[in-house]
Amino acid sequence: MLSFQKKSIEDNYIRGYFNHISEVRETPIEKLDPFRNSINQHIHQKTQDEIFNWAEKQSYIVLANLMYAAAIENIDSCPMEGFRQDVIEEILSVNPETEKVTVTLALGYRSEEDPFQHLKKVRKPNEKLFKFI
Ligand SMILES: Cc1cc2nc3c(=O)[nH]c(=O)nc-3n(C[C@H](O)[C@H](O)[C@H](O)COP(=O)(O)O)c2cc1C
C-alpha cells in the first residue's frame, strides 16, 4: 500500500467531495453549504506548503487505521518512509507536479524464519509518550 497525496486542493476537488457526501447521504447539496464554506475558507487561507504539510499528516491517520485493521485480521505490516520516491512515482505513474508519495506500508505475513519477530518490542512507557489531562 502506498499513500500518495495531492500537492494542492483545487475547488474542483472540494466540489467532488461535497457531491459525494450529497450522493451518499441523499442530502440536497445546498444543505451542505455552511460546511463547504467553512472548508473553503480554511483551505484558502493556507499557503501551498501548509496544505501540503496538512495533507501529509492526513495520510498517517489512514496509515494507522490500516495497520490496526490489518493487525485485527492477523496480517503483518511494516510502515516505511525510506524509499526511492522517484522510482515509486515512476512505477505508479504519479505526476510529481501534482502528487507525491508520502509513505509506504508493506502488508503480508511474516516469515517463520524471521529472527526479528522474537525480539522484545521496544516501546516508550505511557508516561513518556502521553500527557493525560
Ligand atoms: C525497509 C524499512 C524501512 C523503514 N522505514 C522506516 C521509517 O522511515 N520510519 C520509521 O519510523 N520506521 C521505519 N521502519 C521501521 C518499521 O516501521 C518498524 O517501526 C520497525 O520494523 C519496528 O517495528 P516494531 O517495533 O513494531 O517491531 C522501516 C523498516 C524497514 C524494514
Side-chain angles (χ1 to χ4, degrees), residues 1 62-80 104-111 114 121 123:
M1 170 269 182
V62 177
L63 181 81
N65 279 311
L66 193 50
M67 289 174 70
Y68 284 124
I72 289 168
E73 300 291 333
N74 290 321
I75 296 169
D76 296 313
S77 64
C78 180
M80 298 173 280
T104 60
L105 180 69
L107 291 158
Y109 300 97
R110 72 189 72 183
S111 159
D114 180 3
K121 292 290 174 193
R123 298 290 183 262

Side-chain angles (χ1 to χ4, degrees), residues 23-41:
E23 199 183 298
V24 172
R25 296 196 177 147
E26 296 177 21
T27 305
I29 194 91
E30 318 79 63
K31 264 191 105 177
L32 301 170
D33 278 350
F35 184 25
R36 183 210 299 263
N37 292 340
S38 124
I39 298 265
N40 269 330
Q41 198 187 357

Side-chain angles (χ1 to χ4, degrees), residues 5-36:
Q5 62 179 80
K6 293 169 63 53
K7 288 188 166 177
S8 61
I9 310 283
E10 307 84 17
D11 288 347
N12 201 22
Y13 183 77
I14 298 176
R15 204 170 304 119
Y17 172 67
F18 281 97
N19 285 343
H20 192 196
I21 298 178
S22 164
E23 199 183 298
V24 172
R25 296 196 177 147
E26 296 177 21
T27 305
I29 194 91
E30 318 79 63
K31 264 191 105 177
L32 301 170
D33 278 350
F35 184 25
R36 183 210 299 263

Side-chain angles (χ1 to χ4, degrees), residues 73-96:
E73 300 291 333
N74 290 321
I75 296 169
D76 296 313
S77 64
C78 180
M80 298 173 280
E81 262 197 19
F83 52 87
R84 287 276 308 278
Q85 199 176 318
D86 54 335
V87 174
I88 290 194
E89 286 177 350
E90 200 186 325
I91 292 169
L92 294 176
S93 306
V94 169
N95 177 358

